[in-house]
Amino acid sequence: MKQYVVDAFTDKVFAGNPAAVCVMDKWLEDGTMQSIAMENSLSETAFVVKEGSHWHLRWFTPGGEIDLCGHATLATAFVLMNFVDCDMQEVHFDTLSGELIVYRRQELYEMDFPAYSLKQVPVTDEMAAAIGARPVEAWIGRDLLCVMERAEQVRQANPDQERVRGLDGLLLHLTAAGEGAYDCVSRTFAPKCSVAEDPVCGSGHCHIVPYWSERLGKSTITAYQASRRGGTLYCEFMGKRVRLAGKAALFAEAEIFV
């Protein structure tokens, strides 16, 4: 079975968010796919099988299967468009989050994702203790979104992973207003998925982009994920959908024997 490792939301290796992509003729047992994800020890491993005119896509973290993953979707589209069918300009994925479409726009891969509905919740002492600083706002969708007063607090955050496990939401996103060319900065922590920090989180921006679009009064958002690896997302909020675009770079190609 062919596996690729792709750095997503970047144009160079050793940056962005690495995802493994397994292109398969048929599905493996769920336990086998979970074992491959654990063996890879990346935030996500994507598994894709062609079914009719669409591709069926699933995502596994080392801690289990999830319902939506942006960077691994971008990585999968990059692999299909560059190594499976070089004439492909768009790809339709059937996923746990419904149909997802990725378009090739020159060097960018543009994804159309569902936006999460956000509900404001009180900032709690537990949030402040887990993050190491007190957010100014907190919102919940699938994940917990905590808005910090300054970008520096996002960049320097070192959350207590065990305390983060006790917070609501699947993932924890920290965000603040951006600097320079960026409208916002963010970081993502996912100990419930056995991932301390997700370097660049596409699905997280289905929370982050709706928030900043409303706050800034603009539909287009240029976002920077301020992890150690770093990554840039070019985003557009369209009410119930979010467009996320980014670049990708191939790191490795391998054969898995299972």
Side-chain angles (χ1 to χ4, degrees), residues 75-96:
T76 304
F78 172 84
V79 167
L80 295 180
M81 291 177 179
N82 288 278
F83 301 100
V84 176
D85 182 354
C86 295
D87 294 326
M88 187 187 297
Q89 296 300 312
E90 67 181 70
V91 57
H92 295 245
F93 292 118
D94 291 326
T95 79
L96 287 177

Side-chain angles (χ1 to χ4, degrees), residues 48-110:
V48 63
V49 172
K50 190 167 188 182
E51 297 178 343
S53 61
H54 286 201
W55 293 80
H56 191 164
L57 176 62
R58 298 172 68 183
W59 310 278
F60 285 77
T61 76
E65 186 172 11
I66 58 171
D67 66 342
L68 186 64
C69 177
H71 83 279
T73 301
L74 189 154
T76 304
F78 172 84
V79 167
L80 295 180
M81 291 177 179
N82 288 278
F83 301 100
V84 176
D85 182 354
C86 295
D87 294 326
M88 187 187 297
Q89 296 300 312
E90 67 181 70
V91 57
H92 295 245
F93 292 118
D94 291 326
T95 79
L96 287 177
S97 290
E99 183 183 49
L100 304 178
I101 307 173
V102 184
Y103 303 92
R104 176 155 47 185
R105 313 286 195 199
Q106 297 181 339
E107 292 183 325
L108 291 176
Y109 297 85
E110 181 184 278

